[in-house]
Amino acid sequence: MTATGLHPRFVLLLCFISTAACNTFAFTEEPSDRGGRADGYCSRVLRAQSNRKEGNSEFRLRVEGDPESYHPGSTYRVTVTAASPSYFRGFTLIAMKDGAEGDKDEDYAGNFQIIDEEETQFMTNCPPAVTESTPRRRTSIQVFWTAPPSGSGCVFLKASIVQKRIIYFQDEGLLTKKLCEKESLYGDTTDKPLLDCCACGTAKYRVTFYGNWSEKIHPKDYPRRANHWSAIIGASHSKNYVLWEYGGFASEGVKQVAELGSPVKMEEEIRQKGDEVLTVIKMKAQWPAWQPLNVRAAPSAEFSVDRTRHLMSFLTMLGPSPDWNVGLSAEDLCTKECGWVQKVVQDLIPWDAGTDSGVSYESPNKPSVPQEKIRPLTSLDHPQSPFYDPEGGAITPVARVMVERIARKGEQCNIVPDNVDDIVADIAQEEKEEDDTPETCIYSNWSPWSACSSATCEKGKRMRQRMLKAQLDLSVPCPHTQDFEPCMGPGCSDEDASTCMMSEWITWAPCSVSCGAGTRSRERYVKQFPDDGSICTLPTEETENCVVNEECSPSSCLVTEWGEWDVCSATCGLGMKRRERMVKMPPADGSICGAEVLEVEKCMMPECHTIPCLLTPWSDWSDCSVTCGKGLRTRQRMLKSPVELGECTEELEQVEKCMLPECPIDCVMTEWSEWSECNKSCGKGHTIRTRMVMLEPQFGGDPCPEAIQRKKCKIRKCNRGQGNSDEKKRRKEQREKRRSKQGRAEGNSEHPGCRMRPWSSWTECTKICGGGIQERLMTVKQKIKTAQLSSCKDRKEIRACNVHPC
């Protein structure tokens, strides 16, 4: 116990809550004499043997948008910044409920999510807190914070800042932000709230995807050439993370899967969720979409679940399609009896991601503006839909997914006793734990573990390798040939109570001189003191000589410090690494800087073992094969190991779809008609020709040109005699018109001797687009006795309509 009678486990938390408490403790901790669990509750705390400064306004914690309250379950961007010219080297950020002491899980509010793993990480010995990944000078950091569920009350976001040997703690001020829950205007919108899981231990599952989308089962408009399932992407996760759900909006990652079949952004979103995700689920794409199981095995993947991350979600694109997918959303594998589900089998129908408004497999790209909510497809969506059924029947499933439990680990607490299947499955798994390699995969023995990549108490990893000698059954995938596990430098075991954990060295400060010989220094600080109360004797500062320019003359130049070493060029054995620096100031006399700006040295990686499939990393994706519309892009990798070591069956090239803006479509016209007759029988006149629009321009295509042309015509001169003759002809026609005027008024007919009814209305056009026809009729009302039989008949007129393209 400390001098104040409080358990040392709560020293750090009290520093967040009470500055006075930190003065009392003076950043020392005595060994605990109380039993019980220590891990997970910030029992090993970040402290420093230094002075503490409070009430400083150089640093600020800010929640984006500066809200005064939070919406339960919403995510906010939290930043910690330093005002210029200040900076900080380390920090700690935590969120606690109002009045909490920090000795149990319920005291922590919400969940932090890492944005940049190179900048921030979860604190090793205090999982709810976020700290720096690498100590160095910085002016800002940012993380995401997801607010707790409804009923959590007020929350304090608190930060501590490490600047050289000074720690800033703030209770009330710029490094503390208080947010209280905002009352809901619409009540609880969750139809089926997810219950907390009460199962114990962990469970391991295998998910297998059976696609039955084929021309035989779904014949309407089936795309024969490009049908496929995209790469499957998913995760086992907590209830605080939603990959996708009906009634929700698709994230950018879901959109890229739905429209392009690319899982890259979706995987990035999943990995950003940190501890909300236990396993990332990935399976390869399937081209074509369906093949018999004796030709191609159904893709499968294994994943694990635990009490907090007991949900499983995944999705895959049905392609080609506008934005259609299948998958599971938040499938709960935890039972009400505190056990783990044995098996889930579910038929899948496609759902619409709400990002594209296309109605058929190969509809042109048509973004939904505004974006719509995710919904299942139905058989009444659109007549052009391949799933359309005028009677509104159920859509035939396009896939089936099977999730099978293959193992349980740790002590179980299910209320219902295990049946025979449970016991047999667990025994079989225990027998396999030593080596789960399929019998059809023949490997060499594992190599010894390599040295840890970290020589300090920061987390690193080490590697071992084995060689795949033979694959007897190509339909059965062989596990990996490389194995990794976390590690730390010598003497850094979590079980070692006398460990003094130090931060990484901060990068070297600039040389003390700008020219010639000088000195430079770098620092580190204590991240964890030994539990036995001993004092850390490891140095926190070191100094070395430095030379900027050996000759200080007008021809000398000023260069920056050397940058960090690049990654070793080899993954095993001997390789090369390099580092660079830049010319900061050229020589004053205008000469060329003679200082070295590139340095190369050898590097040694773990010993190489005979592995046929030693591959380079994937290259960047190529440009899309088209400049507009739908195309393909590729990426490659190369075989690094000699061919003599054996045949490598790993794929060396991958192809995926890409989508660029729609291609412009120019206006299309019919051919010109023949020139009409001249409108005059003599003298000057004109003649015309016309053409029609067959296809309107789209997506910025060339506009339609003129549709009518006119030119002059002159047959012959009009002479006087001819003029008199024409004049007589016109007078005769006028007399005939006057004689038939009475008949036209009654019958609206140009037939002499017939009285006709007026023209009927035009009928409906026979087509809505692409060119149809309309008709109208004029019928005989009364026949005059003197009229000829052949000249008195019903009349019909026909004209074109809706000539625009479909």
Side-chain angles (χ1 to χ4, degrees):
M1 301 293 284
T2 61
T4 59
L6 293 176
H7 193 279
R9 179 180 300 170
F10 310 134
V11 171
L12 175 64
L13 301 176
L14 288 171
C15 287
F16 285 119
I17 301 169
S18 172
T19 305
C22 292
N23 285 329
T24 303
F25 295 133
F27 297 94
T28 62
E29 184 182 54
E30 297 175 2
S32 171
D33 58 358
R34 180 184 301 178
R37 184 170 61 175
D39 292 339
Y41 298 119
C42 305
S43 59
R44 296 183 178 184
V45 299
L46 167 65
R47 297 174 295 153
Q49 293 172 317
S50 58
N51 297 324
R52 177 175 48 78
K53 188 174 181 180
E54 58 189 42
N56 194 287
S57 61
E58 297 173 293
F59 308 103
R60 180 187 181 193
L61 182 152
R62 180 173 180 261
V63 179
E64 189 174 34
D66 296 319
E68 296 299 327
S69 57
Y70 66 85
H71 287 280
S74 297
T75 300
Y76 302 86
R77 187 188 302 270
V78 179
T79 59
V80 177
T81 57
S84 180
S86 299
Y87 64 90
F88 58 95
R89 295 180 174 176
F91 77 98
T92 305
L93 182 62
I94 200 165
M96 295 181 61
K97 295 180 181 178
D98 189 11
E101 295 183 355
D103 59 343
K104 52 185 180 297
D105 286 339
E106 294 78 17
D107 290 353
Y108 303 103
N111 297 280
F112 287 107
Q113 299 156 39
I114 302 300
I115 296 177
D116 186 351
E117 292 182 352
E118 294 184 359
E119 288 286 334
T120 56
Q121 65 178 358
F122 290 104
M123 204 168 184
T124 304
N125 297 318
C126 181
V130 177
T131 187
E132 76 277 2
S133 294
T134 304
R136 63 172 181 81
R137 291 192 178 199
R138 51 171 59 83
T139 58
S140 68
I141 63 95
Q142 57 180 340
V143 296
F144 286 130
W145 175 70
T146 300
S150 179
S152 299
C154 295
V155 174
F156 280 97
L157 292 168
K158 293 174 176 287
S160 66
I161 294 294
V162 179
Q163 184 193 49
K164 203 168 184 179
R165 294 186 175 182
I166 300 175
I167 294 182
Y168 297 90
F169 284 93
Q170 296 258 354
D171 280 334
E172 303 295 337
L174 299 182
L175 284 177
T176 296
K177 178 73 174 179
K178 181 179 181 181
L179 298 174
C180 292
E181 180 181 346
K182 186 171 185 178
E183 293 184 4
S184 173
L185 297 177
Y186 305 101
D188 191 356
T189 59
T190 302
D191 295 331
K192 295 171 63 177
L194 294 169
L195 301 177
D196 290 333
C197 177
C198 58
C200 300
T202 63
K204 189 174 183 180
Y205 286 87
R206 179 184 294 112
V207 54
T208 307
F209 182 83
Y210 299 95
N212 57 2
W213 175 51
S214 63
E215 187 173 14
K216 181 178 180 180
I217 301 177
H218 301 87
K220 183 181 178 183
D221 302 332
Y222 188 78
R224 294 184 177 181
R225 289 181 298 174
N227 61 86
H228 69 283
W229 294 105
S230 73
I232 295 174
I233 184 70
S236 58
H237 57 91
S238 73
K239 64 181 181 180
N240 296 323
Y241 175 44
V242 178
L243 273 76
W244 70 271
E245 65 177 346
Y246 289 134
F249 289 99
S251 66
E252 183 61 30
V254 172
K255 178 182 178 182
Q256 290 195 16
V257 172
E259 294 188 9
L260 305 178
S262 172
V264 177
K265 182 64 178 178
M266 188 75 254
E267 182 177 354
E268 179 183 327
E269 289 181 2
I270 291 172
R271 294 191 183 279
Q272 285 179 351
K273 294 301 177 181
D275 288 343
E276 299 298 339
V277 171
L278 183 59
T279 308
V280 179
I281 300 170
K282 298 167 67 176
M283 289 178 254
K284 290 184 178 180
Q286 300 174 79
W287 293 76
W290 182 87
Q291 280 188 329
L293 292 177
N294 61 353
V295 176
R296 182 183 66 196
S300 64
E302 295 181 359
F303 66 94
S304 298
V305 292
D306 60 17
R307 175 175 288 190
T308 58
R309 293 157 295 189
H310 52 95
L311 306 177
M312 177 269 195
S313 303
F314 79 91
L315 70 156
T316 176
M317 179 195 75
L318 164 135
S321 69
D323 58 345
W324 299 342
N325 308 264
V326 299
L328 291 179
S329 176
E331 185 69 28
D332 197 347
L333 299 175
C334 181
T335 68
K336 295 180 180 179
E337 294 78 22
C338 302
W340 297 110
V341 173
Q342 267 194 347
K343 189 175 185 178
V344 175
V345 178
Q346 190 165 328
D347 290 325
L348 306 175
I349 63 169
W351 47 268
D352 190 307
T355 61
D356 191 289
S357 300
V359 296
S360 63
Y361 289 129
E362 299 183 271
S363 293
N365 192 34
K366 188 178 180 182
S368 299
V369 181
Q371 182 175 339
E372 298 174 355
K373 293 182 178 180
I374 295 174
R375 64 171 183 85
L377 294 181
T378 72
S379 59
L380 294 174
D381 283 340
H382 195 280
Q384 294 182 11
S385 168
F387 306 107
Y388 181 72
D389 179 2
E391 296 181 0
I395 292 179
T396 302
V398 296
R400 171 175 288 183
V401 64
M402 180 184 297
V403 182
E404 296 176 284
R405 196 185 76 210
I406 57 177
R408 293 181 299 178
K409 292 185 178 180
E411 183 180 352
Q412 301 296 312
C413 55
N414 45 304
I415 300 172
V416 178
D418 287 341
N419 56 31
V420 174
D421 291 336
D422 290 326
I423 298 171
V424 171
D426 289 344
I427 292 176
Q429 181 62 25
E430 289 174 3
E431 293 174 351
K432 288 177 58 181
E433 280 186 352
E434 290 187 3
D435 186 5
D436 59 357
T437 303
E439 295 179 356
T440 56
C441 300
I442 309 301
Y443 288 96
S444 67
N445 293 328
W446 285 107
S447 69
W449 286 105
S450 68
C452 189
S453 62
S454 172
T456 68
C457 291
E458 291 295 312
K459 284 186 177 179
K461 62 182 179 180
R462 61 178 185 170
M463 176 186 71
R464 63 177 181 174
Q465 299 172 322
R466 62 180 175 179
M467 180 180 70
L468 177 61
K469 293 182 176 181
Q471 186 174 359
L472 304 181
D473 186 353
L474 296 179
S475 66
V476 178
C478 290
H480 50 267
T481 56
Q482 292 183 331
D483 191 19
F484 297 88
E485 73 173 13
C487 60
M488 291 190 293
C492 293
S493 171
D494 287 340
E495 286 76 25
D496 188 354
S498 62
T499 296
C500 182
M501 185 175 289
M502 306 296 292
S503 72
E504 291 286 345
W505 285 105
I506 296 171
T507 54
W508 288 103
C511 197
S512 60
V513 296
S514 59
C515 185
T519 59
R520 64 177 186 173
S521 62
R522 64 178 183 175
E523 302 169 347
R524 62 180 178 179
Y525 59 89
V526 179
K527 293 195 74 170
Q528 178 187 305
F529 281 82
D531 285 348
D532 58 10
S534 59
I535 297 176
C536 285
T537 58
L538 296 174
T540 58
E541 185 173 357
E542 65 179 9
T543 305
E544 71 174 13
N545 295 327
C546 56
V547 177
V548 179
N549 293 303
E550 295 183 356
E551 298 179 1
C552 294
S553 65
S555 62
S556 63
C557 54
L558 183 62
V559 293
T560 63
E561 292 293 319
W562 285 107
E564 298 292 333
W565 287 104
D566 289 345
V567 177
C568 190
S569 61
T571 57
C572 65
L574 183 64
M576 303 295 291
K577 62 180 182 179
R578 52 179 280 170
R579 64 177 182 175
E580 298 177 352
R581 62 180 177 180
M582 297 184 297
V583 177
K584 203 171 182 180
M585 184 181 297
D589 59 3
S591 60
I592 298 176
C593 180
E596 293 290 338
V597 293
L598 177 65
E599 195 171 64
V600 180
E601 72 174 28
K602 296 178 181 179
C603 52
M604 178 62 72
M605 297 299 286
E607 181 183 356
C608 294
H609 295 269
T610 307
I611 301 175
C613 290
L614 189 59
L615 302 168
T616 64
W618 284 107
S619 66
D620 293 331
W621 286 103
S622 67
D623 293 331
C624 199
S625 60
V626 296
T627 57
C628 59
K630 295 180 179 180
L632 299 173
R633 63 176 187 172
T634 61
R635 65 176 183 177
Q636 296 84 24
R637 58 181 176 180
M638 298 175 61
L639 185 65
K640 293 175 67 176
S641 54
V643 180
E644 295 80 18
L645 295 179
E647 181 181 359
C648 179
T649 58
E650 292 289 332
E651 59 179 349
L652 301 179
E653 185 177 47
Q654 287 184 343
V655 181
E656 73 171 15
K657 291 170 56 180
C658 51
M659 173 65 75
L660 295 176
E662 291 287 348
C663 299
I665 299 177
D666 298 334
C667 177
V668 179
M669 308 284 289
T670 63
E671 295 295 328
W672 286 105
S673 67
E674 298 293 333
W675 288 101
S676 68
E677 293 183 1
C678 192
N679 68 333
K680 296 287 183 69
S681 60
C682 64
K684 295 180 180 180
H686 68 268
T687 180
I688 63 172
R689 66 174 183 175
T690 60
R691 57 181 176 180
M692 298 174 60
V693 176
M694 293 179 61
L695 181 63
E696 295 287 349
Q698 300 179 49
F699 312 115
D702 293 337
C704 294
E706 61 181 349
I708 183 169
Q709 287 185 343
R710 182 192 303 253
K711 68 177 181 180
K712 295 179 180 179
C713 59
K714 184 176 181 182
I715 298 179
R716 64 181 183 277
K717 291 184 178 180
C718 298
N719 53 46
R720 182 175 303 174
Q722 177 68 36
N724 291 337
S725 175
D726 291 342
E727 181 65 21
K728 291 178 180 179
K729 187 176 181 180
R730 284 195 296 272
R731 289 176 181 176
K732 184 179 179 180
E733 290 175 351
Q734 289 175 357
R735 284 195 300 271
E736 290 177 353
K737 290 180 179 179
R738 283 196 297 270
R739 282 196 299 268
S740 61
K741 184 175 182 181
Q742 180 70 27
R744 286 198 307 274
E746 293 180 1
N748 194 20
S749 170
E750 296 178 1
H751 292 72
C754 289
R755 292 181 181 177
M756 309 295 288
R757 289 186 174 84
W759 284 105
S760 66
S761 300
W762 289 102
T763 61
E764 293 290 334
C765 192
T766 58
K767 293 184 179 180
I768 60 172
C769 61
I773 59 172
Q774 290 176 295
E775 297 180 351
R776 68 174 181 173
L777 296 173
M778 177 186 285
T779 57
V780 176
K781 181 178 180 182
Q782 182 180 1
K783 179 180 175 183
I784 300 175
K785 294 181 179 180
T786 59
Q788 296 181 0
L789 181 63
S790 60
S791 64
C792 198
K793 294 181 178 181
D794 293 343
R795 293 188 59 195
K796 179 169 71 173
E797 283 190 352
I798 300 175
R799 70 177 181 184
C801 56
N802 293 341
V803 296
H804 58 277
C806 295

